[in-house]
mmCIF file of all heavy atoms in Angstrom:
data_model
loop_
_atom_site.group_PDB
_atom_site.id
_atom_site.type_symbol
_atom_site.label_atom_id
_atom_site.label_comp_id
_atom_site.label_asym_id
_atom_site.label_seq_id
_atom_site.Cartn_x
_atom_site.Cartn_y
_atom_site.Cartn_z
ATOM 1 N N ALA A 158 110.384 53.366 83.685
ATOM 2 C CA ALA A 158 111.317 52.398 84.274
ATOM 3 C C ALA A 158 111.770 51.328 83.276
ATOM 4 O O ALA A 158 112.803 50.694 83.469
ATOM 5 C CB ALA A 158 110.672 51.741 85.489
ATOM 6 N N LEU A 159 111.008 51.145 82.185
ATOM 7 C CA LEU A 159 111.426 50.147 81.192
ATOM 8 C C LEU A 159 112.783 50.517 80.583
ATOM 9 O O LEU A 159 113.536 49.655 80.146
ATOM 10 C CB LEU A 159 110.377 50.025 80.073
ATOM 11 C CG LEU A 159 110.699 48.940 79.034
ATOM 12 C CD1 LEU A 159 110.489 47.543 79.627
ATOM 13 C CD2 LEU A 159 109.861 49.094 77.769
ATOM 14 N N ARG A 160 113.074 51.811 80.573
ATOM 15 C CA ARG A 160 114.344 52.253 79.983
ATOM 16 C C ARG A 160 115.544 51.590 80.657
ATOM 17 O O ARG A 160 116.598 51.446 80.044
ATOM 18 C CB ARG A 160 114.463 53.778 80.084
ATOM 19 C CG ARG A 160 113.491 54.486 79.155
ATOM 20 C CD ARG A 160 113.502 55.997 79.348
ATOM 21 N NE ARG A 160 112.446 56.624 78.556
ATOM 22 C CZ ARG A 160 111.857 57.766 78.854
ATOM 23 N NH1 ARG A 160 112.225 58.440 79.949
ATOM 24 N NH2 ARG A 160 110.910 58.255 78.084
ATOM 25 N N MET A 161 115.389 51.183 81.916
ATOM 26 C CA MET A 161 116.517 50.512 82.605
ATOM 27 C C MET A 161 116.792 49.162 81.953
ATOM 28 O O MET A 161 117.948 48.775 81.769
ATOM 29 C CB MET A 161 116.202 50.347 84.098
ATOM 30 C CG MET A 161 116.014 51.685 84.806
ATOM 31 S SD MET A 161 115.879 51.526 86.581
ATOM 32 C CE MET A 161 114.176 51.077 86.758
ATOM 33 N N MET A 162 115.711 48.464 81.609
ATOM 34 C CA MET A 162 115.885 47.181 80.909
ATOM 35 C C MET A 162 116.462 47.411 79.516
ATOM 36 O O MET A 162 117.295 46.653 79.042
ATOM 37 C CB MET A 162 114.539 46.462 80.744
ATOM 38 C CG MET A 162 113.900 45.952 81.991
ATOM 39 S SD MET A 162 114.872 44.665 82.791
ATOM 40 C CE MET A 162 114.927 43.409 81.533
ATOM 41 N N ARG A 163 115.974 48.463 78.863
ATOM 42 C CA ARG A 163 116.486 48.777 77.521
ATOM 43 C C ARG A 163 117.967 49.113 77.582
ATOM 44 O O ARG A 163 118.745 48.719 76.718
ATOM 45 C CB ARG A 163 115.700 49.949 76.904
ATOM 46 C CG ARG A 163 114.306 49.546 76.441
ATOM 47 C CD ARG A 163 113.473 50.743 75.996
ATOM 48 N NE ARG A 163 113.999 51.512 74.863
ATOM 49 C CZ ARG A 163 113.792 51.232 73.571
ATOM 50 N NH1 ARG A 163 113.084 50.173 73.231
ATOM 51 N NH2 ARG A 163 114.285 52.006 72.615
ATOM 52 N N ALA A 164 118.360 49.836 78.630
ATOM 53 C CA ALA A 164 119.777 50.207 78.784
ATOM 54 C C ALA A 164 120.636 48.949 78.815
ATOM 55 O O ALA A 164 121.648 48.847 78.119
ATOM 56 C CB ALA A 164 119.971 51.013 80.065
ATOM 57 N N ILE A 165 120.199 47.975 79.579
ATOM 58 C CA ILE A 165 120.978 46.742 79.702
ATOM 59 C C ILE A 165 120.972 45.961 78.395
ATOM 60 O O ILE A 165 122.006 45.482 77.928
ATOM 61 C CB ILE A 165 120.457 45.909 80.899
ATOM 62 C CG1 ILE A 165 120.905 46.618 82.175
ATOM 63 C CG2 ILE A 165 120.943 44.463 80.831
ATOM 64 C CD1 ILE A 165 120.428 46.016 83.457
ATOM 65 N N ARG A 166 119.817 45.907 77.786
ATOM 66 C CA ARG A 166 119.739 45.181 76.509
ATOM 67 C C ARG A 166 120.641 45.822 75.451
ATOM 68 O O ARG A 166 121.393 45.142 74.763
ATOM 69 C CB ARG A 166 118.281 45.164 76.027
ATOM 70 C CG ARG A 166 118.006 44.169 74.937
ATOM 71 C CD ARG A 166 117.610 44.751 73.605
ATOM 72 N NE ARG A 166 116.429 45.588 73.645
ATOM 73 C CZ ARG A 166 116.014 46.258 72.567
ATOM 74 N NH1 ARG A 166 116.674 46.191 71.439
ATOM 75 N NH2 ARG A 166 114.945 47.018 72.639
ATOM 76 N N PHE A 167 120.600 47.146 75.360
ATOM 77 C CA PHE A 167 121.432 47.831 74.358
ATOM 78 C C PHE A 167 122.921 47.718 74.703
ATOM 79 O O PHE A 167 123.755 47.513 73.825
ATOM 80 C CB PHE A 167 121.039 49.312 74.235
ATOM 81 C CG PHE A 167 119.762 49.558 73.471
ATOM 82 C CD1 PHE A 167 118.717 50.290 74.027
ATOM 83 C CD2 PHE A 167 119.604 49.068 72.181
ATOM 84 C CE1 PHE A 167 117.540 50.518 73.320
ATOM 85 C CE2 PHE A 167 118.433 49.289 71.462
ATOM 86 C CZ PHE A 167 117.394 50.019 72.035
ATOM 87 N N ALA A 168 123.253 47.857 75.988
ATOM 88 C CA ALA A 168 124.672 47.780 76.381
ATOM 89 C C ALA A 168 125.231 46.408 76.007
ATOM 90 O O ALA A 168 126.363 46.286 75.534
ATOM 91 C CB ALA A 168 124.817 48.030 77.876
ATOM 92 N N ALA A 169 124.403 45.363 76.199
ATOM 93 C CA ALA A 169 124.849 44.010 75.858
ATOM 94 C C ALA A 169 124.951 43.855 74.344
ATOM 95 O O ALA A 169 125.963 43.396 73.815
ATOM 96 C CB ALA A 169 123.871 42.982 76.428
ATOM 97 N N GLU A 170 123.915 44.288 73.648
ATOM 98 C CA GLU A 170 123.861 44.072 72.199
ATOM 99 C C GLU A 170 125.009 44.765 71.476
ATOM 100 O O GLU A 170 125.608 44.210 70.561
ATOM 101 C CB GLU A 170 122.512 44.584 71.680
ATOM 102 C CG GLU A 170 122.259 44.328 70.212
ATOM 103 C CD GLU A 170 122.281 42.848 69.871
ATOM 104 O OE1 GLU A 170 121.803 42.048 70.683
ATOM 105 O OE2 GLU A 170 122.801 42.499 68.785
#
Side-chain angles (χ1 to χ4, degrees):
L159 183 72
R160 290 174 187 153
M161 298 188 279
M162 292 296 299
R163 286 173 61 86
I165 287 176
R166 195 245 302 175
F167 284 126
E170 185 60 37

